[in-house]
Amino acid sequence: MTPVATAFRRHASQQAGFCESLGAPFTSELCRLLAGRLPPDSELGRRLDNWPGNPNADALVLRLTGGLHAAVLGGTAPALAACYPPAPMPAEDKLWQAIAPVLAAPGFAGWLDSAPQTNEVGRTGPLAAGMLAIAAETGLPLSLLELGASAGLNLLPDRYDLRLGGTRAGDPGAALSIDPLWEGAAPPAVRLRIADRAGVDLSPLDVCNPVETRRMLAYVWPDQPARLQRMRTAIAIAATAPPLLVQGDAAAFVEARAVPVEGVATTVFHSIAFQYFPPGTQRRIAEHMAGAGSAATAEAPLAWLSYEMSDPRHPGAPELRLTLWPGGADRLLGIGHPHGHSLRWLA
């Protein structure tokens, strides 16, 4: 039975092109096969082809590739594991024959029930550059509040060795170096002091729980081993002293915690997360930040730092933006790579 070009099939094909452009040819092939070969009359095919939401906004095909990778990491799919990197790219028929029984396995459809939570720690590079700008302008330690924090790996910039365009920050002796390709001037060379940190997520992940950390690793594309190793190292660092994570709604978290406090720069931040928040949540966050910002002072500033796909003029390139109160001007600090691999610093 030939698949009809449903919204899911179009989305999976588009994601295949995106993965290819980001240097992940094996993951691209997975997406392409799921678009073209998943039987439309199968239980999984019917569910996907009749998906009630927006497949792009829901990162639908990446839920499937995460489930496949989890089966490989968990040792339950040896035939599929034999096809995965670092093995050579298999023939299309061989790869599909290894994929099909995993898709049909009991429990696999559960991977459709929640969005991917990659917690890409490479984004700490661009985010930390923005934090250095806040530190330089305020002269204060930062109180970090992350929205869509997942396991909170990006809440720990001071526990990584940050090498940002010639500026060194964080912990130079750390096991993990964050060293994005850099274009433009270096960010401010100031000490990054973190007064406290907390994050919120609808389903926060525990870096001390091996089941949950395997789930995080499953969402990393298997043909990018450097990303996998970076996440494993970041998880090990976080596990020694996990950040505070709250289960709940991002808007409620902001409304309760994002208020100017004398002696610290209260900093709300997020990366490739805001686009997944419901419109009502986005509106409440924006309204609260504007209201709270009106009460900010030089001694009690408020910052909103984002690394998001926000401008159609830069497709596939997240923008690093900062709004700092008092003042409240929105500034474009840089344009980067979705995984934090590179940044063009504009500030």
Side-chain angles (χ1 to χ4, degrees), residues 151-169:
L153 300 184
N154 290 322
L155 277 164
L156 309 173
D158 55 331
R159 295 170 63 185
Y160 307 140
D161 178 13
L162 304 171
R163 305 181 184 202
L164 309 173
T167 292
R168 193 85 175 264

Side-chain angles (χ1 to χ4, degrees), residues 194-219:
I194 309 300
D196 52 63
R197 67 194 96 213
V200 65
D201 199 280
L202 290 175
S203 301
L205 297 173
D206 181 0
V207 291
C208 297
N209 182 324
V211 174
E212 296 189 4
T213 56
R214 185 184 300 155
R215 184 178 182 87
M216 292 168 61
L217 291 166
Y219 287 121

Side-chain angles (χ1 to χ4, degrees), residues 308-322:
E308 300 283 351
M309 307 283 197
S310 55
D311 192 331
R313 291 174 297 178
H314 307 129
E319 293 183 338
L320 182 68
R321 306 196 74 95
L322 171 63

Side-chain angles (χ1 to χ4, degrees), residues 131-191:
M131 293 172 190
L132 288 172
I134 296 167
E137 293 185 34
T138 65
L140 296 171
L142 276 57
S143 174
L144 298 180
L145 299 170
E146 186 180 12
L147 312 184
S150 191
L153 300 184
N154 290 322
L155 277 164
L156 309 173
D158 55 331
R159 295 170 63 185
Y160 307 140
D161 178 13
L162 304 171
R163 305 181 184 202
L164 309 173
T167 292
R168 193 85 175 264
D171 178 3
L176 178 60
S177 292
I178 304 292
D179 187 13
L181 297 176
W182 201 270
E183 181 182 347
V190 296
R191 182 184 171 201

Side-chain angles (χ1 to χ4, degrees), residues 201-347:
D201 199 280
L202 290 175
S203 301
L205 297 173
D206 181 0
V207 291
C208 297
N209 182 324
V211 174
E212 296 189 4
T213 56
R214 185 184 300 155
R215 184 178 182 87
M216 292 168 61
L217 291 166
Y219 287 121
V220 179
W221 299 343
D223 37 1
Q224 296 188 332
R227 286 180 65 207
L228 279 164
Q229 185 54 50
R230 186 169 59 199
M231 177 167 285
R232 288 189 175 100
T233 305
I235 288 170
I237 291 171
T240 63
L244 173 65
L245 299 176
V246 176
Q247 190 278 325
D249 173 71
F253 179 84
V254 166
E255 290 162 352
R257 295 173 180 257
V259 293
V261 177
E262 189 167 340
V264 298
T266 302
T267 301
V268 173
F269 75 96
H270 46 84
S271 58
I272 320 296
F274 202 77
Q275 67 193 58
Y276 299 116
F277 296 166
T281 297
Q282 295 178 354
R283 183 176 60 255
R284 284 171 58 192
I285 292 170
E287 289 174 351
H288 174 83
M289 293 299 290
S294 66
T297 66
E299 295 74 27
L302 177 67
W304 188 358
L305 181 67
S306 66
Y307 191 60
E308 300 283 351
M309 307 283 197
S310 55
D311 192 331
R313 291 174 297 178
H314 307 129
E319 293 183 338
L320 182 68
R321 306 196 74 95
L322 171 63
T323 303
L324 181 62
W325 291 272
D330 173 47
R331 288 178 282 163
L332 176 63
L333 299 183
I335 300 172
H337 182 279
H339 300 147
H341 176 68
S342 61
L343 187 75
R344 178 156 58 98
W345 184 253
L346 303 173

